[in-house]
Amino acid sequence: EVQLVQSGAEVKKPGESLRISCQGSGYSFTNSWITWVRQMPGKGLEWMGRIDPRDSHVDYSPSFQGHVTFSVDTSINTAFLQWSSLEASDTAIYYCARQRSLDFWGQGTLVVVSS
Amino acid sequence: DIQMTQSPSSLSASVGDRVTITCRASQSIGSYLNWYQQKPGKAPKLLIYTASILQSGVPSRFSGSGSGTDFTLTISSLQAEDFATYYCQQSYSTPHTFGGGTKVEIK
């Protein structure tokens, strides 16, 4: 059974750093892109970008380029989304999903950034 | 970036109704169009990919059509469990943008 399991909710202060994770199982992790999607409170879905676990090639949306970093650790079948300096506007649920057509999704990670 | 415009943004319908949601791309995307369903507090779920291919396990009352710039998601007979928000997404070129969503509510 294909599963993407994300790390738990986080509460952070502005300026702090954060890394959240997405672990895949039930399929060959290196064969499928991992995409990150943001959903701000009460809002729609936003495509942040994707990473190819085979070679760590990344495509960032211009809206997120320079503010987030994607990475993978294939030894533990895990993708990461990282911020070096959070802002209040980063408060959202972040989803990971696999493949071009986003056929399987993680359960989401709630990130709250508040002073 | 390719802009995806969904209409309507919301609709009210009754169980048994036929429901149609449209999605328009700002440029041709071939058939690289996906549809998702999201219920409150849950992750989105893939319904249809490549414009018209039903994802495994999705009821046959859902169907998709279109190519180029204009696409449609149809629910042939709305069921209680179909009340949700629906999103289209183009996967033709990055960033793979989503439409703004269509909330389907109970009349």
Side-chain angles (χ1 to χ4, degrees), chain A residues 35 37 39 43-47 50 59-63 95 100-108, chain B residues 1 32 34 36 38 42-46 49 55 87 89 91-100:
Chain A
T35 291
V37 175
Q39 188 165 40
K43 302 298 184 183
L45 305 174
E46 298 175 88
W47 192 89
R50 63 181 182 176
D59 291 319
Y60 292 107
S61 166
S63 300
Y95 294 102
R100 188 174 192 163
S101 57
L102 309 183
D103 60 350
F104 285 91
W105 292 65
Q107 82 276 21
Chain B
D1 298 2
Y32 289 96
N34 310 310
Y36 304 90
Q38 187 179 32
K42 299 293 187 183
K45 171 188 172 183
L46 176 66
Y49 61 97
Q55 172 69 350
Y87 295 93
Q89 181 217 17
S91 55
Y92 176 77
S93 68
T94 59
H96 291 172
T97 41
F98 289 91

Side-chain angles (χ1 to χ4, degrees), chain B residues 2-96:
Chain B
I2 297 174
Q3 307 303 314
M4 304 301 294
T5 303
Q6 279 183 246
S7 61
S9 57
S10 66
L11 66 89
S12 295
S14 301
V15 171
D17 284 353
R18 183 182 182 87
V19 169
T20 299
I21 298 168
T22 63
C23 181
R24 174 164 290 176
S26 61
Q27 66 184 74
S28 178
I29 58 170
S31 295
Y32 289 96
L33 192 283
N34 310 310
W35 290 99
Y36 304 90
Q37 176 194 66
Q38 187 179 32
K39 296 181 179 179
K42 299 293 187 183
K45 171 188 172 183
L46 176 66
L47 296 177
I48 288 169
Y49 61 97
T50 321
S52 61
I53 302 174
L54 203 64
Q55 172 69 350
S56 175
V58 174
S60 59
R61 62 181 179 273
F62 291 92
S63 64
S65 64
S67 66
T69 60
D70 293 308
F71 301 87
T72 299
L73 173 70
T74 299
I75 310 172
S76 60
S77 178
L78 196 68
Q79 300 301 300
E81 60 266 31
D82 302 335
F83 292 96
T85 301
Y86 294 84
Y87 295 93
C88 63
Q89 181 217 17
Q90 65 83 14
S91 55
Y92 176 77
S93 68
T94 59
H96 291 172

Side-chain angles (χ1 to χ4, degrees), chain A residues 12-28:
Chain A
K12 292 289 190 179
K13 290 180 166 47
E16 292 186 332
S17 62
L18 175 64
R19 189 176 78 165
I20 64 174
S21 66
C22 168
Q23 185 173 42
S25 62
Y27 73 101
S28 178

